[in-house]
Every structure is written in C-alpha cells, then in structure tokens.
Amino acid sequence: MPPHTPDGDAAGDGTALVRRLLQAQFPHWADLPLTPTGSAGTSNAMYRLGTDMVVRLPRTAGAADDVDKEHRWLPRLAPGLPASVPTPLGRGAPVDGYPWPWSVYGWLEGENPVVGRLAEPAALAGDLAAFVAALQRVGPAGAPPAYRSEPLAARDRATRSAIDVLRTEVDVAAAGAVWEAALAAPEPQGPPVWVHADLQPGNLLVADGRLSAVIDFGCTGLGDPAVDTIAAWYVLPAAARGAFRAALGTDDATWARGRGWALSIALMELRHYRGTHERMALIARSVLGELLAGGEG
C-alpha cells in the first residue's frame, strides 16, 4: 500500500493524516483547530493550526530534504533580516503511512502579492531590495550551496531546449537574445553570498502593500547575487524595477545575469507546469512576457 500524501486521506484534504501525526508526536497541539490553507504551492501542503501556527508537510522527497536545512538555518538568518521568516516550532518525524520529516512553524500574516495588482509597487521594490541586501550580508561560514548555485552557463543546454519546446508560446529570437546577453555578462567577481534563490510571488507575503514576510527557504544557500534579482521580473512591474535595482546597487553584469536566471527559470517552469498547474504556468508566462517585451528593464 503506498504511503499517504498530505492531500490524499479519506477526508480528501489531508487533515486526518495531519491530526494523526500531531496526536502521535505533538499531543499538546493535537486538539487545536486544523484547516487546510489552500496553498497553491507545489512542494508542501499547509494546514493552519490554531490561530498562530501552521503545519507544513512535504509532498515530495525533494521537499522533505529541505526540512533539516530550514530548521538549522532559519533561526540563524532571521535576526539579520528586515522581514519576517518562518519560525520553526517543532520537527516531526516520519511514521508508518507518511515517510518524510515535517514541520510546525509560527503562522505569518499576509497575502501573496498578485502581479499587476500591487498596491505600493515602488515601496515593495524597496522592501525586496532591503531584504536581498540584508540576506547577502549574513556571514557565509558553514552555509550550504543554494539550490541554484551553478554557473548560469551550466543551464545552457536545458534553457535552449526549453526555448525550442516552447517555440509556439515564446518569441524564440527574443528569448535567444536575452539568454546570449546573460551568458556574455562577466561572472561574479566576489565570493558567493546568501540568496533565497526562489523569490517568486508564492514565497512572499505582503500586508498593506509592503513586504511582511518571506517564506519557503528550501532553495536557500550560497550563490550568485544575481539569482535573487529574479524578483524584479517575477514580482515587480517595469516601472518599479529601476527602484529595486538602484536600492540594491546592482551593476550591469549582475542585472544581465539576473535576466538570464529569470528567463531560464520561467522557461523551465512553463514547460513543466503548462497543462498541470495553471497558476504556476500563468506566472511563468507573465515573467516571459516582461522579459521579452524589449528593453533592458
């Protein structure tokens, strides 16, 4: 019999599985109200526990590998960051019927930003830049490599393949031009720095138009600072990108590599999610539209 998934118990939403896990490992929380959050994430299922906690269950073995990283590093990163990040409150163990570690975190208020409907895009640009800069200043001692820590050129074959597969959906010439410019940009001149490595709308929370929290640190680690500039195209409108770049002090080479990272990630996400996860595919299409519209913004 295959193991239960967080989305697949008899109730249809995973709550019975989560309740069983809590009763076995955190009985002092087991009787609190438990509600699926309806998260559109692809790696973890989320259940609000009481009023101030959330249970987070990996959906895949890859996501389960991130549990130890987050429990180790989030408490160390949090003090130096200007926005809230998840606070680990409990680490659950695998059990019969659920094969991976899982977590209880503090609940973070806010909503995912909706691209094209930001209340304060210029202010959000400043908030994002402040977060990225603060994360880069965290000391690198003992830090793991980021999920996206490879040189941009290592993604060349996969990126060109994605352009070819998506030739009916993207401007092949424009995509090729952005990619060639990114590959031609000088490599980072300094050592790798801390990056979140996945600053997409689903991993950000805003309140009253301002950045309130950054979540899902499964990709975090040391990498090229250009990786976190993907927020300029994944989150911000063109009019606010200049403010983000100026506040971060990003040079031309880093900006060009950032455009390449955003292009490569969006291409691969669109190829993977089209027809299976429309929200993620829609975001990827939006990013590609912004990148390929012309200009350097």
Side-chain angles (χ1 to χ4, degrees), residues 38-64:
S39 168
T42 59
S43 299
N44 297 276
M46 308 278 284
Y47 300 81
R48 189 165 187 174
L49 179 62
T51 59
D52 58 359
M53 292 182 288
V54 63
V55 179
R56 188 164 178 256
L57 268 65
R59 288 186 167 119
T60 67

Side-chain angles (χ1 to χ4, degrees), residues 30-85:
D31 294 329
L32 293 173
L34 186 67
T35 308
T37 66
S39 168
T42 59
S43 299
N44 297 276
M46 308 278 284
Y47 300 81
R48 189 165 187 174
L49 179 62
T51 59
D52 58 359
M53 292 182 288
V54 63
V55 179
R56 188 164 178 256
L57 268 65
R59 288 186 167 119
T60 67
D65 289 340
D66 299 331
V67 171
D68 284 340
K69 178 196 286 188
E70 292 197 335
H71 279 256
R72 178 182 179 188
W73 286 105
L74 280 171
R76 304 188 193 190
L77 296 174
L81 301 177
S84 297
V85 299

